Structures are given as structure tokens and as C-alpha cells.
Amino acid sequence: MLAQARRTLESMRRGGPADEGEPVEGVGEAAEGRVKVTAVSGGRLTNVEINPRAMRLSPEELGGHLTAAANAALKDLRGKLADAAGDTVDAGALARRVDEIQTEGLRQLNEFNTAINEVLGKIRGG
């Protein structure tokens, strides 16, 4: 259970999905909708659509619109991820607390194991 919590926290730090479900998508457009870019959690671009009318633009203009659409998609994605996360969680503090809990649990388990071994030793005639 703690291992799964750690994987979830690490995923949160990377900005990826906490589970293996559908990735969150962000969409951005530029050039009056003639350039459209889709980004998914993790910051990857998954789709770029260029309307044939946009191909009439100069390479510099088209590049600028592609950049604007990609940035808009990433901004939309960040907003959706923030909405999905709800209240802001300090993932670093949470990870440290999980580590503390695991360390304490292991310490208690070790003490329990020692006590059982002592009882078994007494039962065996020690």
C-alpha cells in the first residue's frame, strides 16, 4: 500500500496521471482555429491539426501559430490538471510523511519480531 502511495506521489511530481486511466487532454488553437494542438498529461503533444488554408502562411507565421497553439494547449492542460487535483497538495511533504510512516512501521515490526523470537526461545526451554 505504501509502495502504491509512493508511485502516486512520484507520478504527481512528474505531472503524469496518478493511475493508468485516460490521460487528461488540453487543446489549444491559433490562427482563428486553423491550427489546433492537443497535449496530454506528462506534457506530451499528441496531435497537431493544420487546416489547408494555414499552409498559405509564411513558414515564420505558421511556426508562430504552431507555437501559440502548443502553448495554449499546455496552459489548458495545466488548468485541467489543477482542477482535477482540487486542493493543492504538497507532494514533497506528503512523500516525507509516507517515508516516516513506513520507517516507523518497519521499526515496530522489528520490535514485534524480536518479542516473538524471545517468547519462542522461552517456550523451547531457553
Side-chain angles (χ1 to χ4, degrees):
M1 187 163 102
L2 287 173
Q4 182 180 7
R6 282 187 166 156
R7 284 191 300 273
T8 300
L9 288 169
E10 185 58 33
S11 179
M12 287 172 60
R13 284 190 206 129
R14 288 190 315 265
D19 57 23
E20 298 299 320
E22 289 295 315
V24 178
E25 287 188 346
V27 178
E29 295 184 355
E32 300 172 353
R34 293 180 292 194
V35 177
K36 182 178 175 182
V37 174
T38 304
V40 295
S41 46
R44 294 179 302 111
L45 302 182
T46 59
N47 191 40
V48 175
E49 295 177 27
I50 302 173
N51 183 294
R53 290 181 292 147
M55 298 304 288
R56 297 181 193 140
L57 298 169
S58 72
E60 292 81 15
E61 288 176 304
L62 182 57
H65 290 303
L66 283 167
T67 301
N71 286 332
L74 292 170
K75 181 179 180 180
D76 183 43
L77 174 63
R78 282 191 301 272
K80 288 179 179 177
L81 288 172
D83 289 345
D87 294 332
T88 302
V89 174
D90 182 351
L94 189 53
R96 286 187 296 278
R97 184 66 183 131
V98 168
D99 284 341
E100 289 170 8
I101 291 168
Q102 184 177 28
T103 299
E104 179 62 19
L106 290 173
R107 185 191 64 75
Q108 290 176 353
L109 183 60
N110 193 26
E111 286 178 6
F112 182 69
N113 189 37
T114 300
I116 287 177
N117 285 333
E118 287 175 3
V119 168
L120 287 174
K122 289 178 183 179
I123 291 173
R124 292 183 182 142

